[in-house]
Amino acid sequence: MIDVVAEYTEAAPGRTLVESGELVAGSMARTAAGLLFNDGSAKVRLDDALAGWLRRTATTADVDPPALVSSRARCRAGAALAFAAELSVTRAHQGRAVRTDGFLTPGPGDRAPADEVAEAAVLAARDTTEEWRVRHLGYLLAEAAVSSDLDAAVVLRGLRLATDLTGRQWVLLAGVGRRERTPLPMTPVPQDPRGWTAWGALEDLADLQRRGLLDPPPATPRPGGAALPRLRPVDLRLTRRGVLVHRLLALDFVRDPAVAAALADLS
C-alpha cells in the first residue's frame, strides 16, 4: 500500500501544485486540478491544447521551481494556474475559441511561445505579496489563449507593464475601464492633498498618466504661472497601453467595492 501511494505522489507533479493553490484560490483550486489532469471528476472539459499547456506549465513549475521558494509562494503559483483554468471555462462558455495559430504548440526544444508567457506569469504570481493580484495574473493566461491578435511579445509587454504597477493602480484602471456602466466622480482630484492616503492615491494616478496608461497626460506648468486645469476622474480614459493591461488582466472582474475605495482615496 505504501508503494502505491508513493507511486501516485511521484506521478502527480503539477497537480499537487495546482491543488496547493487552495490556500489562495479556495476550493476551486482542487476542481481546477481535476479539470487539468482529467481525473473524470470535472463536469466540463477544456480544449485539449489549452489544458495541455496549463498542465505542462504546472508540471514544470512543480518539478523545477526556483531556488528558495517559500511554501506560500508555491501556493500562489498553483492558484494562478487554477484561476487560468477557471476563466478558460468562462471564455469557452462565451464562445471564444482557443487560438490555433501555433501560440500553444511546442516547437524546437519542446517549448511553445505560450510557455514563455506562462513562466513569466507564474513567476509574477509567486513574487507578489498582494495575493488578490494572483487571480488576475492567472486570468492573463486564459485571455492570452483566446486572443489571436496578441502575440507572445505583446502579452509579455503587457505583463511587464502590469507587474510594475501598484495594486491600487490596477484598481484605478479597472474603474476607468468600466466608466460606461459605473460613472466616474466629477469632483476634481486635490492638487496638494494633506492626508497621506490621498497623496499616495494621487501619486498612483499621476504615475499611470506618466506611463501612458491613462489620458489625459499630466498637466504641464503654463507660461506665467497660470493655474493648471483641475483633473476630474470623469475626464480619464484608457490609452492603448491601458486597454492592453486592462484586457489581459481581465480587470472587469475587480470587485466594485474595491474600485469605489480606490476612487474615494482620490478625494
Side-chain angles (χ1 to χ4, degrees):
M1 184 65 178
I2 294 176
D3 291 341
V4 172
V5 173
E7 181 180 353
Y8 174 79
T9 302
E10 187 176 352
R15 177 172 186 142
T16 55
L17 177 71
V18 177
E19 289 178 341
S20 76
E22 187 172 10
L23 282 176
V24 176
S27 59
M28 180 274 295
R30 290 190 175 273
T31 303
L35 178 61
L36 292 180
F37 290 85
N38 194 24
D39 65 359
S41 64
K43 297 179 181 179
V44 295
R45 285 182 59 86
L46 288 179
D47 173 270
D48 287 343
L50 172 60
W53 169 47
L54 295 177
R55 191 163 53 245
R56 186 168 69 246
T57 300
T59 301
T60 300
D62 205 5
V63 302
D64 188 24
L68 302 176
V69 173
S70 71
S71 59
R72 193 75 188 191
R74 183 175 186 273
C75 294
R76 291 193 288 267
L81 292 166
F83 283 126
E86 177 195 40
L87 187 60
S88 293
V89 172
T90 299
R91 293 298 187 234
H93 286 166
Q94 293 170 339
R96 295 187 63 185
V98 173
R99 57 199 296 175
T100 57
D101 56 358
F103 181 72
L104 298 170
T105 306
D110 225 18
R111 190 165 170 86
D115 292 337
E116 301 174 8
V117 172
E119 182 177 350
V122 168
L123 286 172
R126 281 194 182 112
D127 289 343
T128 186
T129 56
E130 296 174 278
E131 291 187 343
W132 68 269
R133 290 160 66 120
V134 172
R135 175 190 300 270
H136 297 278
L137 291 167
Y139 284 176
L140 178 143
L141 299 181
E143 185 63 29
V146 296
S147 298
S148 57
D149 58 327
L150 304 178
D151 62 19
V154 171
V155 176
L156 287 169
R157 173 177 288 276
L159 178 58
R160 285 193 297 270
L161 286 170
T163 53
D164 217 17
L165 301 176
T166 68
R168 180 163 48 199
Q169 286 176 315
W170 285 19
V171 179
L172 289 172
L173 290 175
V176 176
R178 68 186 61 175
R179 55 179 297 116
E180 300 302 325
R181 72 172 192 264
T182 306
L184 294 169
M186 299 184 67
T187 305
V189 299
Q191 293 182 308
D192 187 22
R194 298 182 64 84
W196 284 112
T197 298
W199 177 84
L202 192 59
E203 286 288 298
D204 280 342
L205 176 58
D207 187 54
L208 287 170
Q209 294 176 281
R210 285 191 296 268
R211 291 173 183 268
L213 292 161
L214 286 180
D215 272 339
T220 55
R222 293 178 174 179
L228 295 174
R230 299 293 300 276
L231 176 68
R232 305 174 303 168
V234 72
D235 299 324
L236 297 169
R237 299 287 190 280
L238 294 175
T239 65
R240 193 165 190 182
R241 283 183 175 186
V243 168
L244 177 65
V245 172
H246 187 281
R247 172 182 168 184
L248 284 173
L249 295 179
L251 292 179
D252 276 338
F253 288 97
V254 173
R255 294 175 175 85
D256 287 339
V259 173
L263 292 173
D265 289 343
L266 287 171
S267 61

